[in-house]
Amino acid sequence: MPSVVVVGAQWGDEGKGKITDYLAQKADMVVRHQGGSNAGHTVVVEGREFKLHLIPSGILYPDKICVIGNGVVIDPQVLIEELEYLQGRGVDTSHLRISSRAHVILPYHKMLDGLDEDQKGKDRIGTTRRGVGPAYMDKDARVGIRVVDLLDPEEFRVLLSRNLEQKNRLLRRVYDVDGFDEQQILETYLAYAERLRPFVVDGPSVINEAVARGANVLFEGAQGTLLDIDHGTYPYVTSSHPVAGGACIGAGVGPTKITEAIGVVKAYTSRVGDGPFPTELTDATGDWIRERGQEYGTTTGRPRRCGWLDACIVRYAALVSGLTGLAVTRLDTLGGLPKVKICVAYRLGEEIVRDFPASLKILERCEPVYEELEGWPAELPGVTGFSQLPAAARHYLRRLEELTGVEIDLLSIGRERGQTLVRREVFWGGRP
């Protein structure tokens, strides 16, 4: 039962889409297990760029079953637009499946997301305002509406009426804005329901059946470890679990079914949104990395904050997800710099701290302790294996392994699917 989880080992935007797409070559099923349309994956195949938000990266392979799991919150409008976008570019989407237990984002979720963010002022989280947080709030408050409810017109009508009574009162009395028209939402969303109905299945049954028959199942999430609601830089986090354990909850499989957890690590660090960022570069080097790496959000287009690689973060990600291997991306982005740095610890007053702190107040006071290493050339022509990398690049990667205690299995040296170096092809057969 070979099942692999791909985990973002930083703040997200590590290049999980490309790694998932690469690993999907040998997968039979790809499952998205958490998040919503507040995140995006960019995959480049033969010069064609595809931007995905809800649909698993494996959709670009016509023979892979792709499942949107119960842990995802789905904006039906965004999902239908994404289906039409892919179909319009010649991609077969008939192998998509949607878990009936996934929750639905409604118009009031998106409005409340924006209004709440505006009200926080300088204390804002940096949300994408896509309604993801409020949808998860309703899910935990046990007033959410699931896909299975959306497909039942009478049930949907009852649940929507109940929710709108409370949401409209909140919008008018607290935020002083008009509420929503029930009939308009009802008609719009029932039309969405019919468009999506052919794709809906019992997610846990379909996924566990694949695992039981020995299929190669690949689990992908959105965001990264430091945006996990429990393990991230709270409150500057998302509302779900991007860590490896989130795959079990968000797909409906037991932890004994997972055989590998691959952490995706960018060769530097980036993040979108607010919150402390110890290795952030606000100088010309940070700008250079941003432009060379095209560091702008797939979903929002927002410029990402960039900084040196932080081994404390990756070590923490390895701890909470039990990472069995690393996939390093964007090594090519750093090419051309005369020197590169890795943060190996933090200085907190007179103390050297090697563990990632839970307190943001402490994290804000942490100063990175750097090791400086030699850089490597801007271009890596003809490189098809690790041994062909410049010595300085190999040393940089070995140092990351030493600092985190996790070996590097994959290395990306470009945006194309084929610009991926394999060090250990052991994902589907267990480790030697």
Side-chain angles (χ1 to χ4, degrees):
M1 51 175 190
S3 299
V4 177
V5 182
V6 176
V7 177
Q10 293 156 306
W11 269 291
D13 305 313
E14 301 95 348
K16 294 185 300 300
K18 179 188 175 179
I19 299 302
T20 302
D21 171 75
Y22 181 83
L23 293 177
Q25 293 177 88
K26 294 190 176 181
D28 301 301
M29 175 179 286
V30 183
V31 182
R32 168 79 180 272
H33 65 82
Q34 53 81 218
S37 57
N38 58 338
H41 291 157
T42 301
V43 180
V44 180
V45 182
E46 297 179 352
R48 301 178 71 201
E49 184 177 85
F50 295 87
K51 294 183 181 293
L52 305 172
H53 301 277
L54 285 167
I55 297 177
S57 302
I59 197 70
L60 300 179
Y61 296 96
D63 59 338
K64 316 297 180 185
I65 299 298
C66 293
V67 184
I68 298 177
N70 58 270
V72 179
V73 287
I74 298 173
D75 184 330
Q77 179 183 351
V78 172
L79 180 52
I80 290 169
E81 289 174 353
E82 194 167 328
L83 282 166
E84 292 173 348
Y85 157 77
L86 290 169
Q87 292 163 357
R89 301 188 69 189
V91 177
D92 178 14
T93 59
S94 63
H95 49 295
L96 176 68
R97 306 288 184 266
I98 302 168
S99 175
S100 58
R101 290 173 167 81
H103 279 243
V104 178
I105 293 176
L106 287 120
Y108 50 77
H109 292 133
K110 290 185 276 191
M111 178 173 281
L112 287 167
D113 199 359
L115 291 169
D116 186 56
E117 187 78 343
D118 289 338
Q119 192 177 68
K120 289 175 180 175
K122 66 180 180 61
D123 295 322
R124 65 187 183 278
I125 301 300
T127 172
T128 58
R129 302 168 184 253
R130 299 298 177 98
V132 171
Y136 276 116
M137 288 171 63
D138 277 4
K139 177 179 179 177
D140 287 344
R142 294 166 290 186
V143 296
I145 296 176
R146 300 173 299 163
V147 170
V148 68
D149 304 318
L150 179 64
L151 297 185
D152 182 335
E154 290 307 313
E155 182 70 6
F156 180 58
R157 186 188 302 273
V158 170
L159 296 178
L160 178 64
S161 179
R162 177 201 66 189
N163 284 5
L164 272 184
E165 181 180 354
Q166 189 266 335
K167 302 300 183 185
N168 281 343
R169 186 164 60 247
L170 176 66
L171 288 167
R172 294 182 184 119
R173 296 184 181 181
V174 176
Y175 295 102
D176 195 27
V177 298
D178 292 335
F180 288 92
D181 178 73
E182 180 180 329
Q183 190 60 31
Q184 184 177 17
I185 294 178
L186 191 66
E187 292 175 1
T188 300
Y189 271 68
L190 287 179
Y192 291 156
E194 293 313 305
R195 178 71 175 85
L196 298 176
R197 187 182 295 274
F199 300 99
V200 177
V201 298
D202 186 285
S205 295
V206 168
I207 298 166
N208 279 281
E209 179 183 321
V211 173
R213 68 170 183 267
N216 293 339
V217 181
L218 181 63
F219 298 90
E220 69 164 346
Q223 293 99 18
T225 299
L226 292 189
L227 293 182
D228 186 276
I229 186 69
D230 278 339
H231 302 291
T233 48
Y234 190 90
Y236 299 100
V237 293
T238 193
S239 301
S240 56
H241 296 288
V243 297
C248 297
I249 299 169
V253 299
T256 56
K257 306 292 177 65
I258 306 298
T259 54
E260 294 272 357
I262 307 300
V264 184
V265 181
K266 197 174 284 184
Y268 46 96
T269 309
S270 70
R271 75 167 300 181
V272 170
D274 299 296
F277 182 173
T279 66
E280 183 174 12
L281 294 169
T282 56
D283 57 9
T285 301
D287 293 339
W288 185 88
I289 293 173
R290 181 181 303 108
E291 295 307 314
R292 183 167 165 81
Q294 301 177 44
E295 291 294 349
Y296 296 88
T298 302
T299 299
T300 64
R302 290 185 294 180
R304 296 179 183 135
R305 302 157 64 190
C306 297
W308 296 119
L309 179 61
D310 189 335
C312 298
I313 289 174
V314 183
R315 193 162 51 235
Y316 174 68
L319 179 73
V320 297
S321 282
L323 297 181
T324 57
L326 298 178
V328 178
T329 64
R330 301 294 182 91
L331 185 74
D332 52 306
T333 298
L334 295 184
L337 290 171
K339 301 286 184 180
V340 293
K341 296 181 181 180
I342 298 180
C343 172
V344 299
Y346 302 131
R347 181 174 288 106
L348 184 61
E350 299 298 319
E351 184 182 1
I352 297 297
V353 178
R354 299 190 181 277
D355 294 328
F356 192 77
S359 168
L360 295 197
K361 185 177 179 181
I362 292 175
L363 186 61
E364 286 173 344
R365 293 169 48 209
C366 285
E367 298 177 5
V369 177
Y370 287 121
E371 282 187 12
E372 187 174 82
L373 295 86
E374 292 295 322
W376 50 89
E379 303 298 330
L380 301 172
V383 173
T384 59
F386 274 69
S387 62
Q388 298 171 335
L389 289 169
R394 294 199 307 271
H395 179 61
Y396 185 78
L397 297 171
R398 283 197 300 270
R399 190 67 185 116
L400 174 60
E401 290 181 321
E402 291 167 357
L403 291 166
T404 61
V406 186
E407 294 183 332
I408 296 170
D409 291 327
L410 291 175
L411 176 67
S412 171
I413 58 171
R415 303 185 76 204
E416 283 280 356
R417 180 185 285 170
Q419 292 178 297
T420 307
L421 308 184
V422 180
R423 195 176 182 191
R424 270 177 290 275
E425 190 74 81
V426 293
F427 305 106
W428 305 113
R431 298 199 173 252

